[in-house]
């Protein structure tokens, strides 16, 4: 797995970046958030509030396996919404180093998502109704949730740039006939689609 | 409230209720709110002063129904769970009924509790309790999600149209214990539910905000007996092993004992009529086991064949027994799956002479059932009415396990069964006359039973 190291613009500590498309990193020493706009442009964006430990079994830099696929946890983002909050762990897989995986941890339920970079048309957030269906990536998708979350914070490296407190709309759906959960996240700077699989905690092994 | 948080993250957070001084404990590190089970005050545990945000009605109005209480510990599938919350709900709904050849929906209300349990690894378990028994509620991701409308909804796993057994609204009356979000009395959502197999029902539940649906969730509800539940909580049980809760989803049903007695009595009498007729016309009767050829002619004794299983992680087993006569086709098979999410078995019966489809049926298994099958395997019994003029039947069984990450894994097996062309097969025994007597007595009791129940 290729990685590169930059220095934190605030404290100078080395920041090892494992994912070549990362656009944001939080320094593990001083909590400084850094935006990476290209290979040389690193902008300090202020201190991130450390995420409170709520007893998750997972943490940064762990190696885990899910159904015999090995992943490394390189980042985390936490969202809050009216029903509580959830964590999304950013995972990379050394066999598919350009792919973007997320392990969603929400109230004891887990979904492994992979970002679908092929889709560029997204349903309009405001006009889409829960209970409706639409076509996406050649499949029919049923919309089962539509809500607005707030970014509570992040750690490690992330493939997009977010600011603590920013609002993020999202639409969750289920691929009809497949039973696969999907999620559209309408982030301030881009919209992304994730396609996932329900996972039980006992299907995830922590190697180190 | 007096803050007294244990600084050790591995231990529970404890403090006293500001309003009544009751001892409160938070097991879940994610919980932000706690409703005092002694006075109903709801506090924000993340605020410095443990601010009381709202108040539930007096807890004495909503006592637990049986033995379950906050703070209890129980073991399910080898994992320890803490009881951390209880929601008392009232359903106002329409329930499907069938009686005397007529059917329709009646207006009903039902009260039940939902117990929230959390394990040491922060996974949840929900137990629903009402006056008729217990169910375990599990969220599911359906293959065929729909927003149900009216009296039909799609089967969550096969997509086929299902009769809605109950639909209506559910309202929170009371909450006690801890929660990650603010539970408020009066919060409402809507639901629709159909009955599956194996004492399991499936439901969709959705809630509105600002006049718009915000979320739809799907659940499986599997019955669990009081005996099993008491054992899970280490209670010296008074319930008998056979004291299984009646088939009852969380939303509940009302039964009229008078009607039940009449129906049982009538059924017993109807069942016994053929035996009485046979006695009068002197039909020679034999036991069924003597007349049925129980040996299946199996063209494919190798068992299951893979359709798209590359992982070899699913092992379906064998046909245990198959038999067919002019009346019934009975067969049983053993299946054993890997740790799949859900599975479906599809059984297709065709006439082997011309491949005409006779019967096709799908059986969906919930996540819980699939997990049980994965651990211990299961013997499945199926029985169908034999169509007329059939000499050989082809029975094809297809199993589809939803592995999610690996996608679906499918296996199938085909067997051929010779249909025994036996004469009429009846079993004559003394039970016939005793059934008739019991049936007659019950019928009379039912008719004389007080009409106002």
């Amino acid at each position: 797995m290729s990685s590169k190291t930059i220095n934190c613009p605030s404290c100078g500590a080395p920041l090892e970046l494992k994912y070549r498309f990362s656009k944001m990193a939080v320094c593990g020493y001083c909590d400084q958030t850094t935006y990476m706009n290209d290979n040389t442009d690193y902008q300090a964006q202020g201190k991130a509030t450390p995420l409170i430990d709520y007893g998750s079994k997972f943490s940064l830099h762990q190696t885990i396996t899910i159904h015999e696929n090995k992943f490394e946890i390189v980042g985390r983002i936490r969202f809050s919404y009216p029903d509580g909050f959830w964590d999304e762990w950013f995972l990379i897989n050394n066999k598919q180093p350009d792919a973007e995986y997320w392990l969603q941890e929400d109230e004891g339920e887990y979904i492994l998502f992979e970002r679908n970079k092929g889709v560029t048309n997204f349903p309009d957030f405001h006009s889409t109704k829960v209970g409706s269906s639409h076509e996406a990536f050649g499949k029919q998708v049923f919309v089962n949730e539509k809500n607005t979350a707030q970014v509570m914070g992040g750690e490690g490296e992330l493939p997009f740039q977010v600011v603590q407190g920013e609002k993020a709309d999202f639409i969750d759906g289920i691929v009809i006939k497949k039973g696969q959960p999907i999620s559209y996240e309408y982030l301030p700077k881009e919209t992304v689609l994730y396609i996932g699989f329900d996972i039980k905690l006992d299907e995830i092994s922590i190697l180190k | 409230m007096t803050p007294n948080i244990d600084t050790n993250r591995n231990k529970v957070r404890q403090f006293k209720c500001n309003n009544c001084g009751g001892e409160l404990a938070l097991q879940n590190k994610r919980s932000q709110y706690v409703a005092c089970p002694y006075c109903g005050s709801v506090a924000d545990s993340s605020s410095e002063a443990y601010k009381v945000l709202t108040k539930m009605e007096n807890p004495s109005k909503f006592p637990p129904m049986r033995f379950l209480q906050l703070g209890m510990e129980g073991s399910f599938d080898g994992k320890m769970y803490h009881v951390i919350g209880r929601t008392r709900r009232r359903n106002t709904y329409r329930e499907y009924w069938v009686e005397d050849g007529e059917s329709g929906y009646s207006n009903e209300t039902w009260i039940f509790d939902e117990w929230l349990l959390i394990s040491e690894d922060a996974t949840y378990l929900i137990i629903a309790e009402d006056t008729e028994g217990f169910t375990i509620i599990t969220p599911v991701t359906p293959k065929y999600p729909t927003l149900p409308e009216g009296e039909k909804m799609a089967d969550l796993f096969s997509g086929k149209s299902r009769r809605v057994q109950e639909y209506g609204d559910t309202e929170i009356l009371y909450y006690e214990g801890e929660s990650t979000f603010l539970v408020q009395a009066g919060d409402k959502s809507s639901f629709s539910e159909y009955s599956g197999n194996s004492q399991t029902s499936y439901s969709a539940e959705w809630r509105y905000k600002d006049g718009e649906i915000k979320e739809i969730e799907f659940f499986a509800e599997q019955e669990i007996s009081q005996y099993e539940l008491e054992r899970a909580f280490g209670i010296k049980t008074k319930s008998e092993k056979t004291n299984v809760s009646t088939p009852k989803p969380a939303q509940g049903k009302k039964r009229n004992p008078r009607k039940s007695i009449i129906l049982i009595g009538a059924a017993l009498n109807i069942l016994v009529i053929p035996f009485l007729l046979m006695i009068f016309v002197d039909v020679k009767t034999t036991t069924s086991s003597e007349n049925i050829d129980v040996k299946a002619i199996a063209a494919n004794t190798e068992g299951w064949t893979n359709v798209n299983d590359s992982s070899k992680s699913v092992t379906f087993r064998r046909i245990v027994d198959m038999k067919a006569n002019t009346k019934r086709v009975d067969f049983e098979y053993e299946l054993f799956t890997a740790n799949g999410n859900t599975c479906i078995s599809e059984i297709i019966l065709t006439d082997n002479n011309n491949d005409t489809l006779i019967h096709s049926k799908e059986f969906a298994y919930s996540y819980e059932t699939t997990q049980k099958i994965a651990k211990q395997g299961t013997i499945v019994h199926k029985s169908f009415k034999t169509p007329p003029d059939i000499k050989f039947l082809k029975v094809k069984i297809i199993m589809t396990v939803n592995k999610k990450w690996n996608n679906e894994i499918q296996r199938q097996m085909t067997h051929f069964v010779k249909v025994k062309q036996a004469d009429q097969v009846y079993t004559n025994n003394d039970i016939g006359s005793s059934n008739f007597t019991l049936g007659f007595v019950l019928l009379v009791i039912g008719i004389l039973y007080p009409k106002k129940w």
Side-chain angles (χ1 to χ4, degrees), chain A residues 4-208:
Chain A
K4 67 175 179 180
T5 302
I6 64 170
N7 292 106
C8 171
S10 176
C11 71
L15 295 177
E16 188 183 10
L17 303 175
K18 297 272 182 82
Y19 185 63
R20 72 186 181 103
F21 299 111
S22 282
K23 292 182 178 170
M24 173 179 156
V26 177
C27 176
Y29 299 92
C30 71
D31 298 321
Q32 175 69 48
T33 300
T34 302
Y35 283 176
M36 289 88 74
N37 294 319
D38 58 40
N39 280 336
T40 55
D41 181 14
Y42 306 129
Q43 294 175 358
Q45 291 292 324
K47 302 258 181 183
T49 307
L51 299 177
I52 296 170
D53 173 21
Y54 287 111
S56 174
K57 291 187 80 164
F58 306 108
S59 59
L60 282 186
H61 314 304
Q62 276 179 338
T63 302
I64 61 173
T65 59
I66 302 173
H67 293 185
E68 298 170 9
N69 297 282
K70 195 183 281 188
F71 300 94
E72 185 178 350
I73 299 175
V74 297
R76 169 161 61 156
I77 187 165
R78 179 171 292 166
F79 292 99
S80 68
Y81 73 135
D83 284 352
F85 66 90
W86 78 92
D87 281 337
E88 298 203 358
W89 298 94
F90 178 37
L91 314 177
I92 52 173
N93 176 299
N94 59 4
K95 287 184 182 167
Q96 296 180 70
D98 290 351
E100 191 182 299
Y101 296 98
W102 294 86
L103 178 63
Q104 186 182 88
E105 180 178 18
D106 184 10
E107 302 286 339
E109 291 177 28
Y110 299 85
I111 300 174
L112 178 65
F113 282 113
E114 180 180 358
R115 180 173 177 180
N116 184 312
K117 295 180 180 176
V119 173
T120 51
N121 289 327
F122 303 99
D124 176 61
F125 178 77
H126 295 289
S127 61
T128 299
K129 301 281 183 199
V130 173
S132 67
S133 302
H134 63 269
E135 193 178 324
F137 51 93
K139 313 275 185 199
Q140 281 295 309
V141 172
F142 176 83
V143 175
N144 67 313
E145 186 174 4
K146 175 178 152 178
N147 225 321
T148 298
Q150 197 172 23
V151 177
M152 292 178 77
E155 62 182 8
E157 57 184 294
L158 296 170
F160 42 70
Q161 296 170 350
V162 289
V163 176
Q164 196 173 322
E166 265 182 342
K167 290 203 181 310
D169 296 328
F170 68 91
I171 288 174
D172 283 350
I174 299 169
V175 179
I176 296 172
K177 294 185 181 175
K178 288 283 178 189
Q180 278 184 280
I182 67 128
S183 185
Y184 299 100
E185 288 184 11
Y186 299 79
L187 299 168
K189 291 186 178 174
E190 59 183 327
T191 299
V192 286
L193 165 65
Y194 302 101
I195 303 175
F197 301 90
D198 290 325
I199 300 287
K200 295 289 165 191
L201 186 58
D202 57 15
E203 294 176 288
I204 306 171
S205 304
I206 299 171
L207 298 184
K208 57 179 181 179

Side-chain angles (χ1 to χ4, degrees), chain B residues 43-210:
Chain B
D44 181 352
S45 71
S46 68
S47 67
E48 235 173 73
Y50 292 85
K51 186 180 171 188
V52 173
L53 301 172
T54 182
K55 205 166 186 299
M56 294 283 164
E57 278 197 72
N58 193 328
S60 63
K61 287 185 176 177
F62 308 97
M65 296 182 186
R66 296 184 185 83
F67 63 94
L68 280 176
Q69 285 182 30
L70 290 185
M72 286 177 77
E73 286 182 357
S75 173
F76 295 86
D77 286 336
K79 205 188 274 189
M80 285 304 292
Y81 286 82
H82 268 91
V83 180
I84 62 168
R86 174 169 69 104
T87 308
R88 170 68 53 91
R89 288 176 178 270
R90 177 177 54 214
N91 284 358
T92 310
Y93 64 105
R94 287 174 67 73
E95 181 182 359
Y96 183 66
W97 56 266
V98 180
E99 200 168 279
D100 301 333
E102 294 183 357
S103 63
Y105 282 87
S106 55
N107 293 321
E108 307 285 350
T109 57
W110 194 257
I111 302 288
F112 65 101
D113 281 334
E114 270 181 7
W115 294 92
L116 180 65
L117 289 77
I118 190 168
S119 69
E120 286 174 353
D121 59 12
T123 54
Y124 293 83
L125 188 73
I126 299 170
I127 298 172
E129 176 182 18
D130 60 28
T131 54
E132 294 191 358
F134 300 90
T135 57
I136 289 187
I137 301 178
T138 314
V140 294
T141 305
K143 276 183 148 183
Y144 294 89
T146 51
L147 176 61
E149 287 179 16
E151 297 160 5
K152 295 279 183 187
M153 72 182 282
D155 184 297
L156 300 184
F157 300 102
S158 72
K160 290 180 179 172
S161 179
R162 291 279 196 171
R163 159 74 61 191
V164 168
Q165 209 63 35
E166 296 172 1
Y167 67 97
D169 296 323
T170 178
E171 180 183 2
I172 293 174
L173 301 178
Y174 168 79
Y175 183 80
E176 65 182 23
E178 54 188 286
S179 171
T180 54
F181 60 96
L182 188 59
V183 181
Q184 307 225 49
D187 276 358
K188 278 187 180 177
S189 51
S190 300
F191 72 91
S192 215
E193 179 184 294
Y194 69 87
S195 298
N197 57 348
S198 308
Q199 298 182 321
T200 305
S201 59
Y202 298 93
S203 62
E205 188 174 323
W206 59 97
R207 54 203 170 85
Y208 292 84
K209 191 182 172 191
D210 304 326

Side-chain angles (χ1 to χ4, degrees), chain B residues 277-398:
Chain B
L277 283 176
M278 282 191 298
I279 292 165
F280 285 119
V281 297
D282 195 25
V283 174
K284 187 183 176 187
T285 58
T286 56
T287 59
S288 60
S289 60
E290 287 170 358
N291 262 0
I292 295 178
D293 180 1
V294 296
K295 301 294 178 194
I297 300 171
N300 176 7
T301 53
E302 294 301 311
W304 298 97
T305 54
N306 297 338
V307 175
N308 62 353
D309 177 14
S310 57
S311 68
K312 310 288 182 198
S313 58
V314 179
T315 53
F316 298 116
R317 288 189 178 157
R318 61 201 168 98
I319 289 278
V320 176
D321 197 7
M322 252 183 172
K323 53 191 177 185
N325 67 2
T326 50
K327 300 204 172 296
R328 309 291 308 172
V329 181
D330 295 294
F331 55 96
E332 56 184 35
Y333 53 95
E334 184 178 7
L335 64 91
F336 194 88
T337 76
N339 208 13
N341 195 50
T342 52
C343 62
I344 291 174
S345 71
E346 186 177 5
I347 295 169
I348 302 164
L349 266 66
T350 48
D351 182 345
N352 191 48
N353 288 333
N354 51 22
D355 259 354
T356 311
L357 178 68
I358 295 166
H359 194 86
S360 170
K361 195 164 179 63
E362 274 191 4
F363 303 91
Y365 302 88
S366 67
Y367 170 78
E368 292 296 330
T369 308
T370 307
Q371 294 299 303
K372 280 182 190 165
I373 294 170
K375 281 182 184 161
Q376 32 187 271
T378 188
I379 302 282
V380 180
H381 306 261
K382 297 294 172 199
S383 181
F384 298 101
K385 191 177 176 185
T386 308
D389 304 325
I390 298 291
K391 302 283 191 297
F392 274 93
L393 276 170
K394 186 158 81 177
V395 182
K396 189 176 186 180
I397 304 165
I398 303 171

Side-chain angles (χ1 to χ4, degrees), chain B residues 401-414:
Chain B
V401 175
N402 190 353
K403 289 289 291 177
K404 299 288 174 149
W405 176 251
N406 289 328
N407 261 329
E408 289 178 347
I409 295 171
Q410 205 175 69
R411 288 190 174 193
Q412 64 181 40
M413 175 160 69
T414 305

